[in-house]
Amino acid sequence: MTVTWIVVPGLAETPEEFARVVELLPDLDVRVIDPWSTPVTSDVDALRAAADVPPGAEIGLVGHSIGGLAVLRWALTRPLEVTGLVLVDSSLTSETGWWALYPGTRADRAIRKVTRFLGRVGVPQLIGPAIRRVSVRVGSRSNLDLLPKATARARYGAKTSWLLFWDELAGSWQLASEVAKLITDPVAQAVPATLLVATGGSSRFTASRWLAGQQRLADALGGTVEVLRDSAHLVHLDRPDAIATAVRG
């Protein structure tokens, strides 16, 4: 049976950014979730529906950053339908944030109120695309932004964009806590897992600690680690070939 590979991007990322990965896997069924339509932190059923997975399909999962936590939850709660797992510089289960900022708290409500106000007065439209460009410059070594300028303006300049980013960040803390509990189950080692870990560019400043955390995660999953010294956090921009190779592997 043909495996359907589902890619789950990270925080504030777009499906267009993963075009090179898809291009390098022309013979495979690769589907990229659009976080702007279906938040990365959505439950498994919502992600599955967003990818329009055929009934009974065998599934391979690729998750970048907080998308790594999302695919981990998928694999650990439904191991019988997942045949492979590729974690691309994934967020760690220890990244549970600050309880005072969790969804529903007073601070969360205040932040949401502020982001709505900024959206109404047009701040994201003014500086959203510029922040996007800076994030690519800092987060990758190649500085190769695959997102068309018009798409960047439409997405990052939207009045609701910052609220979306906050919802996903805050939701990722709860997701990390949930996955941390799931990963202690023996079923965690039921799905073959490959972890790609970036230690180049801006990632080099925290490389030792980051790699140690990723190795602990790999050990818990019974997975393997591949260190990408020539890539920063945005691996899909710097080393799409490494992701494609891991999928085929």
Side-chain angles (χ1 to χ4, degrees), residues 153-224:
R153 287 194 298 270
R155 290 186 183 270
Y156 294 88
K159 67 179 182 180
T160 58
S161 59
W162 290 7
L163 181 60
L164 183 149
F165 301 156
W166 172 252
D167 283 342
E168 290 216 328
L169 176 61
S172 74
W173 299 333
Q174 293 178 310
L175 182 56
S177 181
E178 180 181 349
V179 173
K181 296 174 183 176
L182 291 170
I183 214 166
T184 60
D185 194 297
V187 77
Q189 297 197 17
V191 180
T194 300
L195 285 74
L196 303 180
V197 184
T199 60
S202 57
S203 297
R204 69 186 184 278
F205 300 111
T206 57
S208 296
R209 179 171 55 83
W210 183 243
L211 182 55
Q214 295 287 335
Q215 186 62 63
R216 287 192 294 271
L217 177 59
D219 291 343
L221 295 170
T224 59

Side-chain angles (χ1 to χ4, degrees), residues 4 6 29 31-33 38 45-55 57 59 74:
T4 299
I6 300 171
D29 182 6
R31 309 180 183 198
V32 185
I33 298 288
T38 305
D45 286 331
L47 294 175
R48 205 177 192 285
D52 193 23
V53 180
I59 295 171
W74 189 330

Side-chain angles (χ1 to χ4, degrees), residues 25-230:
L25 298 167
D27 55 323
L28 300 183
D29 182 6
V30 182
R31 309 180 183 198
V32 185
I33 298 288
D34 185 351
W36 302 74
S37 300
T38 305
V40 171
T41 52
S42 299
D43 62 35
V44 173
D45 286 331
L47 294 175
R48 205 177 192 285
D52 193 23
V53 180
E58 291 186 2
I59 295 171
L61 297 171
V62 179
H64 176 249
S65 196
I66 67 171
L69 293 173
V71 299
L72 264 175
R73 176 172 61 181
W74 189 330
L76 296 177
T77 55
R78 303 186 183 184
L80 296 181
E81 72 177 20
V82 179
T83 61
L85 184 63
V86 179
L87 301 179
V88 184
D89 224 35
S90 173
S91 297
L92 297 172
T93 56
S94 57
E95 296 177 51
T96 54
W98 299 278
W99 289 100
L101 297 177
Y102 269 45
T105 62
R106 181 180 299 177
D108 168 65
R109 292 193 295 271
I111 291 172
R112 292 172 62 84
K113 184 176 181 179
V114 170
T115 55
R116 287 196 187 96
F117 171 75
L118 294 175
R120 285 197 301 270
V121 299
V123 174
Q125 184 177 7
L126 288 173
I127 65 175
I131 292 175
R132 155 78 189 187
R133 289 194 295 273
V134 171
S135 69
V136 170
R137 187 171 293 113
V138 172
S140 73
R141 293 191 65 184
S142 63
N143 193 24
L144 177 63
D145 192 350
L146 302 179
L147 198 64
K149 291 182 179 179
T151 304
R153 287 194 298 270
R155 290 186 183 270
Y156 294 88
K159 67 179 182 180
T160 58
S161 59
W162 290 7
L163 181 60
L164 183 149
F165 301 156
W166 172 252
D167 283 342
E168 290 216 328
L169 176 61
S172 74
W173 299 333
Q174 293 178 310
L175 182 56
S177 181
E178 180 181 349
V179 173
K181 296 174 183 176
L182 291 170
I183 214 166
T184 60
D185 194 297
V187 77
Q189 297 197 17
V191 180
T194 300
L195 285 74
L196 303 180
V197 184
T199 60
S202 57
S203 297
R204 69 186 184 278
F205 300 111
T206 57
S208 296
R209 179 171 55 83
W210 183 243
L211 182 55
Q214 295 287 335
Q215 186 62 63
R216 287 192 294 271
L217 177 59
D219 291 343
L221 295 170
T224 59
V225 170
E226 179 181 347
V227 180
L228 304 177
R229 294 183 175 83
D230 54 351

